[in-house]
Amino acid sequence: MLRLVMWGEMRTAAIAMIDGPCQNENADGTLPTTKTERSFFPVTAELLPLTARSGHALTGRVTVPGDKSMSHRALILGALAVGQTRITGLLDGDDVRRTAAAVAALGARVARLQDGSWIVDGVGVGGLREPSEILDFGNSGTGARLMMGLVATHPITAIFSGDASLCRRPMARVTKPLLQFGAQFVGRRGGLLPLAVTGAEHPLPIEYHVPVPSAQVKSAVLLAGLNTQGQTIVVETVATRDHSERMLRHFGAHVAVEILPDGGRRIVLDGQPELKPANLDLPADPSSAAFPMVAALLSEGSDIVLDNIGLNPLRTGLIDTLLDMGGSIEILNPRLCGDEPVGDLRVRSSRLKGITVPAERAASMIDEYPILAVAAAAADGDTIMLGLEELKVKESDRLAAIARGLVACGVTVKVEGSTLTVTGHAGPPPGGGYIEAELDHRIAMAFLVLGTAAQEPVTIDDATTIDTSFPGFADLMRGLGAAIEPA
Ligand code: S3P
């Protein structure tokens, strides 16, 4: 099966702005044929439909891939340090590889060693060079937005692009504060990618109050502040994941964080530090662990352990919620992995009950609503999820995608503004749906998990995007006993 991903005229225009052959074509103008070549510009891609069936208990002990948020940041800060950083546990998924390629295009040397660790030779703060090719971030909003912050205060021009999903996502949320540093942007109407960024020659430090709860916006501003004289200040009214703050400190930057009376944070970064190379060991991604976790809760007789999961308190909203719903989740051996708390999670099948999930919790589980909605479909009673506005601007409009997918699987759903209500079946939901994943890895994984616990099998149209965050997902799930096979 083939899919044509439309790029439109802007893509052609953006390509025309740089020298050399288009990245989606071989030198003789033919289309690339290997998966690696294709992955840089997804003009065509083979779909991978998968079907998941229920009836199997999940057992065993596994490690899910490394944390995506931390992996992007590790590569970026490694690229700005003076000297060599070694990273273990880096997520070797498409999103992170795009960031690796981007920092390499900006002058850092990045290599993946045979043992799976990564080496980054940094250029120092202020040392980025102008890339001679388009920076293609594929499906990754985090890569694109964080790197935009970096480029915004270097006197270079770079063109940012991505896949059809990323080219639909709002960028004004980062270009707005970055303009205040003195950066310039030329992009499509509405501030969409592809977008050309020219960084400020003499950037001015700013104080920015982030208007939406977004760690990407906060981090873009902090990264721009690195190559800016003076103090850059970010105020967030809702605390979001603080991996950037922790990792900046790990590399030697001075970052002061004040917790505000309303629970928000005021973060002050001293500009132009000399970042020192600092080895990193990254934990497994709690947002990836969420999928086998919910699958084990919903499949009778399951008992699994997920090793070395990142438990940063600004990421653990799903665990809190599943515990409130009656889920059996134990944190074993809590410890520190570098600057981040981690633990092993033992998860056993449980009867879940519907609850109300408060809006204040949304930031700490923003990527977990697709899989929470699946858990809710099997719970007893209604689960009401409040404050989901940001779900509309993820890799897909996730609020709509969750609702459509659940309805296709026979589950009653109500969307009112930014509130999602799922009526649970107090056991296996009907299932039987055919789900379009819409270039959204988490929609694809969530509905496969639904299939592992539903009365009828569930098929997704395409699992290829799962590689952006969770390479090996289907194999890992099969290893635990789940029935997930090519459709
Ligand atoms: C991320 C922040 C979140 C999250 C994304 C990763 C990050 O996005 O959804 O998957 O690494 O900073 P927002 O900042 O848009 O909430």
CSV table of all heavy atoms in Angstrom, one decimal, residues 314-374:
chain,number,residue,atom,x,y,z
A,314,LEU,N,6.7,16.0,37.4
A,314,LEU,CA,5.9,16.8,36.5
A,314,LEU,C,5.5,15.9,35.3
A,314,LEU,O,5.0,16.4,34.2
A,314,LEU,CB,6.7,18.0,36.0
A,314,LEU,CG,6.9,19.0,37.2
A,314,LEU,CD1,7.9,20.1,36.8
A,314,LEU,CD2,5.6,19.6,37.6
A,315,ARG,N,5.8,14.6,35.4
A,315,ARG,CA,5.4,13.6,34.3
A,315,ARG,C,4.5,12.5,34.8
A,315,ARG,O,4.2,11.6,34.0
A,315,ARG,CB,6.7,13.0,33.7
A,315,ARG,CG,7.7,13.9,33.0
A,315,ARG,CD,7.3,14.3,31.6
A,315,ARG,NE,7.1,13.3,30.7
A,315,ARG,CZ,8.1,12.7,30.0
A,315,ARG,NH1,9.3,13.1,30.2
A,315,ARG,NH2,7.8,11.7,29.1
A,316,THR,N,4.2,12.5,36.1
A,316,THR,CA,3.6,11.3,36.6
A,316,THR,C,2.0,11.4,36.8
A,316,THR,O,1.5,10.6,37.5
A,316,THR,CB,4.2,10.9,38.0
A,316,THR,OG1,4.2,12.1,38.8
A,316,THR,CG2,5.6,10.4,37.9
A,317,GLY,N,1.4,12.3,36.1
A,317,GLY,CA,0.0,12.5,36.2
A,317,GLY,C,-0.8,11.2,35.9
A,317,GLY,O,-1.8,10.9,36.5
A,318,LEU,N,-0.3,10.4,34.9
A,318,LEU,CA,-1.1,9.2,34.5
A,318,LEU,C,-1.0,8.2,35.6
A,318,LEU,O,-2.1,7.5,35.9
A,318,LEU,CB,-0.5,8.6,33.2
A,318,LEU,CG,-1.3,7.3,32.8
A,318,LEU,CD1,-2.7,7.6,32.3
A,318,LEU,CD2,-0.5,6.5,31.8
A,319,ILE,N,0.1,8.0,36.3
A,319,ILE,CA,0.2,7.0,37.3
A,319,ILE,C,-0.7,7.4,38.5
A,319,ILE,O,-1.5,6.6,39.0
A,319,ILE,CB,1.7,6.9,37.9
A,319,ILE,CG1,2.6,6.4,36.7
A,319,ILE,CG2,1.8,6.0,39.1
A,319,ILE,CD1,4.0,6.3,37.1
A,320,ASP,N,-0.7,8.7,38.8
A,320,ASP,CA,-1.6,9.2,39.9
A,320,ASP,C,-3.1,8.9,39.5
A,320,ASP,O,-3.9,8.4,40.3
A,320,ASP,CB,-1.5,10.7,40.1
A,320,ASP,CG,-0.1,11.1,40.6
A,320,ASP,OD1,0.6,10.2,41.2
A,320,ASP,OD2,0.3,12.3,40.4
A,321,THR,N,-3.4,9.2,38.3
A,321,THR,CA,-4.8,9.0,37.8
A,321,THR,C,-5.2,7.5,37.8
A,321,THR,O,-6.3,7.1,38.3
A,321,THR,CB,-5.0,9.6,36.4
A,321,THR,OG1,-4.6,11.0,36.5
A,321,THR,CG2,-6.4,9.4,35.8
A,322,LEU,N,-4.3,6.6,37.3
A,322,LEU,CA,-4.7,5.2,37.3
A,322,LEU,C,-4.8,4.7,38.7
A,322,LEU,O,-5.6,3.8,39.0
A,322,LEU,CB,-3.6,4.4,36.5
A,322,LEU,CG,-3.6,4.8,35.0
A,322,LEU,CD1,-2.4,4.1,34.3
A,322,LEU,CD2,-4.9,4.3,34.3
A,323,LEU,N,-3.9,5.2,39.6
A,323,LEU,CA,-4.1,4.8,41.0
A,323,LEU,C,-5.4,5.2,41.6
A,323,LEU,O,-6.1,4.4,42.2
A,323,LEU,CB,-2.9,5.4,41.9
A,323,LEU,CG,-1.5,4.8,41.7
A,323,LEU,CD1,-0.5,5.6,42.4
A,323,LEU,CD2,-1.5,3.3,42.2
A,324,ASP,N,-5.8,6.4,41.3
A,324,ASP,CA,-7.1,6.9,41.7
A,324,ASP,C,-8.3,6.1,41.1
A,324,ASP,O,-9.3,5.9,41.7
A,324,ASP,CB,-7.4,8.4,41.2
A,324,ASP,CG,-6.5,9.4,42.0
A,324,ASP,OD1,-5.8,9.0,43.0
A,324,ASP,OD2,-6.5,10.6,41.5
A,325,MET,N,-8.0,5.5,40.0
A,325,MET,CA,-9.1,4.7,39.3
A,325,MET,C,-9.1,3.2,39.9
A,325,MET,O,-9.9,2.4,39.5
A,325,MET,CB,-8.8,4.6,37.8
A,325,MET,CG,-9.1,6.0,37.1
A,325,MET,SD,-8.6,6.0,35.4
A,325,MET,CE,-10.0,5.2,34.6
A,326,GLY,N,-8.1,3.0,40.8
A,326,GLY,CA,-8.1,1.6,41.4
A,326,GLY,C,-7.0,0.7,40.7
A,326,GLY,O,-7.0,-0.5,41.0
A,327,GLY,N,-6.1,1.2,39.9
A,327,GLY,CA,-5.1,0.4,39.3
A,327,GLY,C,-4.1,-0.1,40.3
A,327,GLY,O,-3.7,0.6,41.2
A,328,SER,N,-3.6,-1.3,40.0
A,328,SER,CA,-2.5,-1.8,40.9
A,328,SER,C,-1.2,-1.5,40.2
A,328,SER,O,-0.7,-2.2,39.3
A,328,SER,CB,-2.7,-3.3,41.0
A,328,SER,OG,-1.6,-3.9,41.6
A,329,ILE,N,-0.5,-0.4,40.7
A,329,ILE,CA,0.8,0.0,40.2
A,329,ILE,C,1.7,0.2,41.4
A,329,ILE,O,1.3,1.0,42.3
A,329,ILE,CB,0.7,1.3,39.4
A,329,ILE,CG1,-0.3,1.1,38.2
A,329,ILE,CG2,2.0,1.7,38.9
A,329,ILE,CD1,-0.7,2.4,37.5
A,330,GLU,N,2.8,-0.5,41.5
A,330,GLU,CA,3.7,-0.3,42.6
A,330,GLU,C,5.0,0.2,42.1
A,330,GLU,O,5.5,-0.2,41.1
A,330,GLU,CB,4.1,-1.7,43.2
A,330,GLU,CG,3.2,-2.2,44.3
A,330,GLU,CD,3.6,-3.6,44.6
A,330,GLU,OE1,4.6,-3.8,45.3
A,330,GLU,OE2,3.0,-4.5,44.0
A,331,ILE,N,5.6,1.2,42.8
A,331,ILE,CA,6.9,1.7,42.4
A,331,ILE,C,7.9,1.0,43.2
A,331,ILE,O,8.0,1.0,44.4
A,331,ILE,CB,7.0,3.2,42.7
A,331,ILE,CG1,5.9,4.0,41.8
A,331,ILE,CG2,8.4,3.7,42.4
A,331,ILE,CD1,5.9,5.5,42.0
A,332,LEU,N,8.8,0.2,42.5
A,332,LEU,CA,9.8,-0.6,43.2
A,332,LEU,C,11.1,0.1,43.1
A,332,LEU,O,11.4,0.8,42.0
A,332,LEU,CB,9.9,-2.0,42.5
A,332,LEU,CG,8.6,-2.8,42.3
A,332,LEU,CD1,8.9,-4.0,41.5
A,332,LEU,CD2,8.0,-3.1,43.6
A,333,ASN,N,11.9,0.0,44.1
A,333,ASN,CA,13.3,0.5,44.0
A,333,ASN,C,13.4,2.0,43.5
A,333,ASN,O,14.2,2.2,42.6
A,333,ASN,CB,14.1,-0.5,43.1
A,333,ASN,CG,15.6,-0.2,43.2
A,333,ASN,OD1,16.1,0.5,44.1
A,333,ASN,ND2,16.3,-0.7,42.2
A,334,PRO,N,12.7,2.9,44.2
A,334,PRO,CA,12.8,4.3,43.7
A,334,PRO,C,14.3,4.8,43.9
A,334,PRO,O,14.9,4.5,44.9
A,334,PRO,CB,11.9,5.1,44.6
A,334,PRO,CG,11.6,4.2,45.8
A,334,PRO,CD,11.8,2.8,45.3
A,335,ARG,N,14.8,5.5,42.9
A,335,ARG,CA,16.2,5.9,43.0
A,335,ARG,C,16.4,7.1,42.1
A,335,ARG,O,15.4,7.6,41.4
A,335,ARG,CB,17.1,4.8,42.6
A,335,ARG,CG,16.8,4.2,41.2
A,335,ARG,CD,17.4,2.8,41.0
A,335,ARG,NE,17.2,2.4,39.6
A,335,ARG,CZ,16.1,1.7,39.2
A,335,ARG,NH1,15.1,1.4,40.1
A,335,ARG,NH2,15.9,1.3,38.0
A,336,LEU,N,17.6,7.6,42.0
A,336,LEU,CA,17.9,8.7,41.1
A,336,LEU,C,18.7,8.2,39.9
A,336,LEU,O,19.6,7.3,40.1
A,336,LEU,CB,18.8,9.8,41.8
A,336,LEU,CG,18.1,10.8,42.6
A,336,LEU,CD1,19.1,11.8,43.3
A,336,LEU,CD2,17.0,11.6,41.8
A,337,CYS,N,18.4,8.7,38.7
A,337,CYS,CA,19.2,8.4,37.5
A,337,CYS,C,19.7,9.7,37.1
A,337,CYS,O,19.0,10.5,36.5
A,337,CYS,CB,18.3,7.7,36.5
A,337,CYS,SG,19.1,7.4,34.9
A,338,GLY,N,21.0,10.0,37.4
A,338,GLY,CA,21.5,11.4,37.2
A,338,GLY,C,20.7,12.4,38.0
A,338,GLY,O,20.6,12.3,39.2
A,339,ASP,N,20.0,13.4,37.3
A,339,ASP,CA,19.3,14.4,38.0
A,339,ASP,C,17.8,14.1,38.1
A,339,ASP,O,17.0,15.0,38.4
A,339,ASP,CB,19.5,15.7,37.2
A,339,ASP,CG,20.9,16.0,37.0
A,339,ASP,OD1,21.5,16.5,38.0
A,339,ASP,OD2,21.4,15.8,35.9
A,340,GLU,N,17.4,12.9,37.7
A,340,GLU,CA,16.0,12.6,37.6
A,340,GLU,C,15.6,11.4,38.4
A,340,GLU,O,16.3,10.4,38.4
A,340,GLU,CB,15.6,12.3,36.1
A,340,GLU,CG,15.9,13.4,35.1
A,340,GLU,CD,14.7,14.4,35.0
A,340,GLU,OE1,13.6,14.1,35.6
A,340,GLU,OE2,14.9,15.4,34.3
A,341,PRO,N,14.4,11.5,39.1
A,341,PRO,CA,14.0,10.3,39.9
A,341,PRO,C,13.5,9.2,38.9
A,341,PRO,O,12.9,9.5,37.9
A,341,PRO,CB,12.8,10.8,40.7
A,341,PRO,CG,12.4,12.1,40.0
A,341,PRO,CD,13.6,12.6,39.3
A,342,VAL,N,13.8,7.9,39.2
A,342,VAL,CA,13.3,6.8,38.4
A,342,VAL,C,12.9,5.7,39.4
A,342,VAL,O,13.1,5.7,40.6
A,342,VAL,CB,14.4,6.2,37.5
A,342,VAL,CG1,14.9,7.2,36.5
A,342,VAL,CG2,15.5,5.6,38.3
A,343,GLY,N,12.2,4.7,38.8
A,343,GLY,CA,11.8,3.5,39.6
A,343,GLY,C,11.4,2.4,38.6
A,343,GLY,O,11.2,2.7,37.4
A,344,ASP,N,11.2,1.2,39.1
A,344,ASP,CA,10.6,0.1,38.3
A,344,ASP,C,9.1,0.0,38.7
A,344,ASP,O,8.8,0.2,39.9
A,344,ASP,CB,11.3,-1.2,38.7
A,344,ASP,CG,12.8,-1.0,38.6
A,344,ASP,OD1,13.3,-0.3,37.7
A,344,ASP,OD2,13.6,-1.6,39.4
A,345,LEU,N,8.3,-0.2,37.7
A,345,LEU,CA,6.9,-0.2,38.0
A,345,LEU,C,6.3,-1.6,37.8
A,345,LEU,O,6.4,-2.3,36.8
A,345,LEU,CB,6.1,0.7,37.0
A,345,LEU,CG,6.5,2.2,37.0
A,345,LEU,CD1,5.7,3.0,35.9
A,345,LEU,CD2,6.3,2.8,38.4
A,346,ARG,N,5.7,-2.1,38.9
A,346,ARG,CA,5.0,-3.4,38.8
A,346,ARG,C,3.5,-3.1,38.6
A,346,ARG,O,2.9,-2.4,39.4
A,346,ARG,CB,5.2,-4.2,40.1
A,346,ARG,CG,4.5,-5.6,40.0
A,346,ARG,CD,4.8,-6.5,41.2
A,346,ARG,NE,4.2,-7.8,40.9
A,346,ARG,CZ,4.0,-8.6,41.9
A,346,ARG,NH1,4.4,-8.4,43.1
A,346,ARG,NH2,3.4,-9.8,41.6
A,347,VAL,N,3.0,-3.7,37.5
A,347,VAL,CA,1.6,-3.4,37.2
A,347,VAL,C,0.8,-4.7,37.1
A,347,VAL,O,1.3,-5.7,36.4
A,347,VAL,CB,1.5,-2.7,35.8
A,347,VAL,CG1,0.1,-2.2,35.5
A,347,VAL,CG2,2.5,-1.5,35.8
A,348,ARG,N,-0.3,-4.8,37.7
A,348,ARG,CA,-1.1,-6.0,37.7
A,348,ARG,C,-2.6,-5.7,37.2
A,348,ARG,O,-3.0,-4.6,37.5
A,348,ARG,CB,-1.2,-6.7,39.1
A,348,ARG,CG,0.1,-7.5,39.3
A,348,ARG,CD,0.1,-8.0,40.7
A,348,ARG,NE,0.5,-7.0,41.7
A,348,ARG,CZ,0.7,-7.3,43.0
A,348,ARG,NH1,0.5,-8.5,43.4
A,348,ARG,NH2,1.1,-6.3,43.8
A,349,SER,N,-3.2,-6.6,36.6
A,349,SER,CA,-4.5,-6.4,36.1
A,349,SER,C,-5.5,-6.0,37.2
A,349,SER,O,-5.4,-6.4,38.3
A,349,SER,CB,-5.1,-7.6,35.3
A,349,SER,OG,-4.8,-8.7,36.0
A,350,SER,N,-6.4,-5.0,36.9
A,350,SER,CA,-7.2,-4.4,37.9
A,350,SER,C,-8.5,-4.0,37.4
A,350,SER,O,-8.7,-3.8,36.2
A,350,SER,CB,-6.5,-3.1,38.4
A,350,SER,OG,-5.2,-3.3,38.7
A,351,ARG,N,-9.5,-4.0,38.3
A,351,ARG,CA,-10.8,-3.4,37.9
A,351,ARG,C,-10.7,-1.9,38.1
A,351,ARG,O,-10.4,-1.5,39.2
A,351,ARG,CB,-11.9,-4.0,38.7
A,351,ARG,CG,-12.4,-5.3,38.3
A,351,ARG,CD,-13.3,-5.9,39.3
A,351,ARG,NE,-13.4,-7.3,39.0
A,351,ARG,CZ,-14.3,-7.9,38.3
A,351,ARG,NH1,-15.3,-7.2,37.8
A,351,ARG,NH2,-14.3,-9.2,38.0
A,352,LEU,N,-11.0,-1.1,37.0
A,352,LEU,CA,-10.9,0.3,37.2
A,352,LEU,C,-12.2,1.0,37.3
A,352,LEU,O,-13.2,0.5,36.8
A,352,LEU,CB,-10.2,0.9,35.9
A,352,LEU,CG,-8.8,0.4,35.6
A,352,LEU,CD1,-8.2,1.0,34.4
A,352,LEU,CD2,-7.8,0.6,36.8
A,353,LYS,N,-12.3,2.1,38.0
A,353,LYS,CA,-13.5,2.9,38.1
A,353,LYS,C,-13.3,4.3,37.5
A,353,LYS,O,-12.2,4.8,37.6
A,353,LYS,CB,-14.0,2.9,39.6
A,353,LYS,CG,-13.1,3.6,40.5
A,353,LYS,CD,-13.7,3.8,41.9
A,353,LYS,CE,-12.9,4.7,42.8
A,353,LYS,NZ,-11.6,4.3,43.2
A,354,GLY,N,-14.4,4.8,36.9
A,354,GLY,CA,-14.3,6.1,36.3
A,354,GLY,C,-14.2,7.2,37.4
A,354,GLY,O,-14.7,7.0,38.5
A,355,ILE,N,-13.4,8.2,37.1
A,355,ILE,CA,-13.2,9.3,38.0
A,355,ILE,C,-13.2,10.7,37.2
A,355,ILE,O,-13.2,10.6,36.0
A,355,ILE,CB,-11.8,9.2,38.7
A,355,ILE,CG1,-10.7,9.3,37.7
A,355,ILE,CG2,-11.7,8.0,39.6
A,355,ILE,CD1,-9.3,9.6,38.4
A,356,THR,N,-13.1,11.8,37.9
A,356,THR,CA,-12.9,13.1,37.3
A,356,THR,C,-11.4,13.4,37.4
A,356,THR,O,-10.8,13.4,38.5
A,356,THR,CB,-13.8,14.2,37.9
A,356,THR,OG1,-15.1,13.8,37.7
A,356,THR,CG2,-13.5,15.5,37.3
A,357,VAL,N,-10.8,13.7,36.2
A,357,VAL,CA,-9.4,14.0,36.2
A,357,VAL,C,-9.3,15.6,36.1
A,357,VAL,O,-9.7,16.2,35.2
A,357,VAL,CB,-8.7,13.4,35.0
A,357,VAL,CG1,-7.1,13.6,35.1
A,357,VAL,CG2,-9.0,11.9,34.9
A,358,PRO,N,-8.7,16.2,37.2
A,358,PRO,CA,-8.8,17.7,37.2
A,358,PRO,C,-7.9,18.3,36.2
A,358,PRO,O,-6.9,17.8,35.8
A,358,PRO,CB,-8.2,18.0,38.6
A,358,PRO,CG,-7.4,16.8,39.1
A,358,PRO,CD,-8.0,15.6,38.3
A,359,ALA,N,-8.3,19.5,35.7
A,359,ALA,CA,-7.5,20.2,34.7
A,359,ALA,C,-6.1,20.5,35.2
A,359,ALA,O,-5.2,20.5,34.3
A,359,ALA,CB,-8.3,21.6,34.4
A,360,GLU,N,-5.9,20.7,36.5
A,360,GLU,CA,-4.6,21.0,37.0
A,360,GLU,C,-3.6,19.9,36.7
A,360,GLU,O,-2.4,20.1,36.7
A,360,GLU,CB,-4.5,21.3,38.5
A,360,GLU,CG,-5.5,22.3,39.0
A,360,GLU,CD,-6.9,21.7,39.2
A,360,GLU,OE1,-7.1,21.0,40.2
A,360,GLU,OE2,-7.7,22.0,38.3
A,361,ARG,N,-4.1,18.7,36.5
A,361,ARG,CA,-3.2,17.6,36.3
A,361,ARG,C,-2.8,17.4,34.8
A,361,ARG,O,-1.9,16.7,34.5
A,361,ARG,CB,-3.9,16.3,36.7
A,361,ARG,CG,-3.0,15.2,37.1
A,361,ARG,CD,-3.7,14.0,37.6
A,361,ARG,NE,-4.0,14.0,39.0
A,361,ARG,CZ,-4.8,13.1,39.6
A,361,ARG,NH1,-5.3,12.1,38.9
A,361,ARG,NH2,-5.0,13.2,40.9
A,362,ALA,N,-3.4,18.2,33.9
A,362,ALA,CA,-3.2,17.9,32.5
A,362,ALA,C,-1.8,18.1,32.0
A,362,ALA,O,-1.3,17.3,31.3
A,362,ALA,CB,-4.1,18.9,31.7
A,363,ALA,N,-1.1,19.1,32.6
A,363,ALA,CA,0.3,19.3,32.1
A,363,ALA,C,1.2,18.1,32.4
A,363,ALA,O,2.1,17.8,31.7
A,363,ALA,CB,0.9,20.6,32.7
A,364,SER,N,0.9,17.4,33.5
A,364,SER,CA,1.8,16.3,34.0
A,364,SER,C,1.5,15.0,33.3
A,364,SER,O,2.1,14.0,33.6
A,364,SER,CB,1.7,16.2,35.5
A,364,SER,OG,0.4,15.7,35.8
A,365,MET,N,0.5,15.0,32.4
A,365,MET,CA,0.1,13.8,31.6
A,365,MET,C,-0.4,14.1,30.3
A,365,MET,O,-1.2,13.4,29.7
A,365,MET,CB,-0.9,13.0,32.4
A,365,MET,CG,-2.1,13.8,32.8
A,365,MET,SD,-3.3,12.7,33.7
A,365,MET,CE,-3.8,11.5,32.5
A,366,ILE,N,0.1,15.3,29.7
A,366,ILE,CA,-0.5,15.8,28.5
A,366,ILE,C,-0.4,14.8,27.3
A,366,ILE,O,-1.3,14.7,26.5
A,366,ILE,CB,0.1,17.1,28.1
A,366,ILE,CG1,-0.7,17.8,27.0
A,366,ILE,CG2,1.6,17.0,27.7
A,366,ILE,CD1,-2.1,18.2,27.4
A,367,ASP,N,0.6,13.9,27.3
A,367,ASP,CA,0.7,13.0,26.2
A,367,ASP,C,0.0,11.7,26.5
A,367,ASP,O,0.0,10.8,25.6
A,367,ASP,CB,2.2,12.6,25.9
A,367,ASP,CG,2.9,13.8,25.3
A,367,ASP,OD1,2.3,14.7,24.7
A,367,ASP,OD2,4.2,14.0,25.5
A,368,GLU,N,-0.6,11.5,27.7
A,368,GLU,CA,-1.1,10.3,28.1
A,368,GLU,C,-2.6,10.2,27.9
A,368,GLU,O,-3.2,9.1,28.3
A,368,GLU,CB,-0.7,10.0,29.6
A,368,GLU,CG,0.6,9.4,29.8
A,368,GLU,CD,1.8,10.4,29.4
A,368,GLU,OE1,2.2,11.2,30.2
A,368,GLU,OE2,2.3,10.3,28.3
A,369,TYR,N,-3.3,11.2,27.5
A,369,TYR,CA,-4.8,11.2,27.4
A,369,TYR,C,-5.3,10.1,26.4
A,369,TYR,O,-6.3,9.5,26.7
A,369,TYR,CB,-5.4,12.5,27.1
A,369,TYR,CG,-5.4,13.4,28.4
A,369,TYR,CD1,-4.4,14.3,28.6
A,369,TYR,CD2,-6.3,13.2,29.4
A,369,TYR,CE1,-4.3,15.1,29.8
A,369,TYR,CE2,-6.3,13.9,30.5
A,369,TYR,CZ,-5.3,14.8,30.7
A,369,TYR,OH,-5.3,15.6,31.9
A,370,PRO,N,-4.6,9.9,25.2
A,370,PRO,CA,-5.1,8.8,24.4
A,370,PRO,C,-5.2,7.5,25.1
A,370,PRO,O,-6.2,6.8,25.0
A,370,PRO,CB,-4.1,8.8,23.2
A,370,PRO,CG,-3.5,10.2,23.2
A,370,PRO,CD,-3.5,10.6,24.6
A,371,ILE,N,-4.2,7.1,25.9
A,371,ILE,CA,-4.2,5.8,26.5
A,371,ILE,C,-5.0,5.9,27.8
A,371,ILE,O,-5.7,4.9,28.1
A,371,ILE,CB,-2.7,5.3,26.8
A,371,ILE,CG1,-2.7,3.9,27.2
A,371,ILE,CG2,-2.0,6.2,27.9
A,371,ILE,CD1,-3.2,2.9,26.2
A,372,LEU,N,-5.2,7.0,28.4
A,372,LEU,CA,-6.1,7.1,29.6
A,372,LEU,C,-7.5,6.9,29.1
A,372,LEU,O,-8.3,6.2,29.7
A,372,LEU,CB,-6.0,8.5,30.3
A,372,LEU,CG,-7.0,8.7,31.4
A,372,LEU,CD1,-6.9,7.6,32.5
A,372,LEU,CD2,-6.9,10.1,32.0
A,373,ALA,N,-7.8,7.5,27.9
A,373,ALA,CA,-9.2,7.3,27.4
A,373,ALA,C,-9.5,5.8,27.1
A,373,ALA,O,-10.6,5.4,27.3
A,373,ALA,CB,-9.3,8.1,26.1
A,374,VAL,N,-8.5,5.1,26.7
A,374,VAL,CA,-8.6,3.6,26.5
A,374,VAL,C,-8.9,2.9,27.8
A,374,VAL,O,-9.8,2.1,27.9
A,374,VAL,CB,-7.4,3.1,25.8
A,374,VAL,CG1,-7.4,1.5,25.8
A,374,VAL,CG2,-7.3,3.6,24.3
